Amino acid sequence: MEKSSRRSFFKVAGISLLGISGAAPVLNSFAESQVSHTVEGSYVKNESTLQAKRWGMIINTKELSEDNVPSIIEACHKAHNVPNIDNKKHEVKWIWEEEFKHAFPTVNHDFLNERVENLKFLVFCNHCNNPPCVRACPTKATFKRDDGIVLMDFHRCIGCRFCMAACPYGSRSFNFENPRPFIEETNPLFPTRMKGVVEKCNFCAERLAVGKIPACVEAANGAIVFGDLNDPESEIRQVLKENYTIRRKPALGTGPSVYYIV
Ligand code: SF4
Ligand code: SF4
C-alpha cells in the first residue's frame, strides 16, 4: 500500500498509528502483499446487473440436509477464496453451520421440537438494515450499499477488529495468518486477502454485478430464496407471506435481512 493512501485512510479514521494497538503488524502485512486487490463495492453496473432496493434471503431449513449443506458452504468458500485453516482459533468462514441454541439464543427453550433442536442452521452475515459493524469501523472499510448489502473494502481494513466486536452474530473472521497458502484452488475472479484483514459474506456482490445469483443460492437448489425485500411482488416477499419465519436476535434492532423457515 502506498504511503500516501495509508496516510489518507488514517486521516479518514481520525486516528494516529500509535493510537491503535496492533496497527504496526497490520501495516507490515500490507507492505508484504504482492497482489493487487479489487476494491469491493466498486463493481460497475450494466444491463445484466441484478438490482434491488434491499436484498434479502430466506433459508428454508426444511429443505436443508447433510446432503446439500456441505455443497452450499463449499460453493461460497470456493467462489471467494476462503482459506481452509484447521486451527479453530485462526479459521476463516463466510457461511457455516450452527446449532439452534447458538443461532437463536433468544428463542431457545427447554421443550424444543426435536427436529429443530438437532438441526444445523446455515448462518452468515445478515446484511443488517441497521448494521452496528458499519458504525464501529473507524476507517469506513465496511459500509452499507444502497441495496442493503454490507461490504468490506479489504484495502481500507486496518485490522483493528472493532467491527468484529460490534457484530452480535460473530459473522466476521479475522486473518490471523496469511490465508493464501490455505486456499486449495484460487478463483482468479475474486481477490485473495492478507494477514490482518477482516472478511465476511458479501451477498455475492461480485456475482450480482454480472447478473448471477449468489453461489450459495445456486448450490441450494431452491432451499435458499434470494430477492428484493422492498418489492411486494418479489418471490421472497411471497415466501415471507406464506411462511412463518424467524430472524437472529431481532430484539437488538439490527434488522437482519436473512430469514429462516423452521
Ligand atoms: S451480521 Fe454482523 S457483520 Fe453482518 S451486517 Fe449485521 S452486524 Fe454487520
Ligand atoms: S451470499 Fe455469497 S458470500 Fe454470502 S454466504 Fe452466500 S455464497 Fe457466500
Side-chain angles (χ1 to χ4, degrees), residues 81-243:
N81 295 319
V82 177
N84 191 5
I85 299 174
D86 288 338
N87 180 350
K88 286 276 168 209
K89 287 186 184 156
H90 290 187
E91 74 178 340
V92 175
K93 45 194 188 177
W94 283 31
I95 179 168
W96 68 101
E97 292 174 285
E98 199 75 85
E99 284 177 54
F100 184 81
K101 63 180 176 207
H102 294 133
F104 301 94
T106 50
V107 284
N108 196 15
H109 61 73
D110 290 344
F111 310 105
L112 211 55
N113 167 292
E114 204 176 317
R115 184 189 71 87
V116 172
E117 194 171 9
N118 295 322
L119 204 62
K120 291 280 200 285
F121 285 78
L122 276 175
V123 294
F124 45 102
C125 171
N126 290 287
H127 296 273
C128 303
N129 206 24
N130 181 22
C133 56
V134 170
R135 289 196 300 277
C137 178
T139 65
K140 299 189 168 82
T142 193
F143 57 96
K144 187 176 155 213
R145 277 197 333 195
D146 289 346
D147 59 4
I149 298 182
V150 175
L151 285 180
M152 276 296 299
D153 177 340
F154 302 129
H155 266 134
R156 274 185 179 270
C157 179
I158 57 169
C160 68
R161 290 183 275 160
F162 290 175
C163 62
M164 293 179 74
C167 171
Y169 306 96
S171 298
R172 293 168 170 259
S173 296
F174 184 67
N175 285 287
F176 283 97
E177 51 196 311
N178 177 9
R180 290 171 189 146
F182 299 95
I183 301 167
E184 274 145 38
E185 200 183 322
T186 304
N187 171 13
L189 300 175
F190 199 77
T192 54
R193 277 73 68 192
M194 63 188 90
K195 184 178 175 181
V197 169
V198 172
E199 57 183 87
K200 65 165 196 74
C201 153
N202 67 350
F203 257 13
C204 286
E206 83 288 357
R207 289 173 59 96
L208 300 177
V210 294
K212 291 183 180 168
I213 57 171
C216 60
V217 179
E218 193 174 85
N221 286 323
I224 305 178
V225 178
F226 183 69
D228 190 352
L229 292 170
N230 272 27
D231 176 3
E233 304 304 321
S234 66
E235 182 195 4
I236 194 168
R237 285 288 295 274
Q238 300 313 309
V239 176
L240 284 173
K241 216 183 270 180
E242 287 159 15
N243 294 274

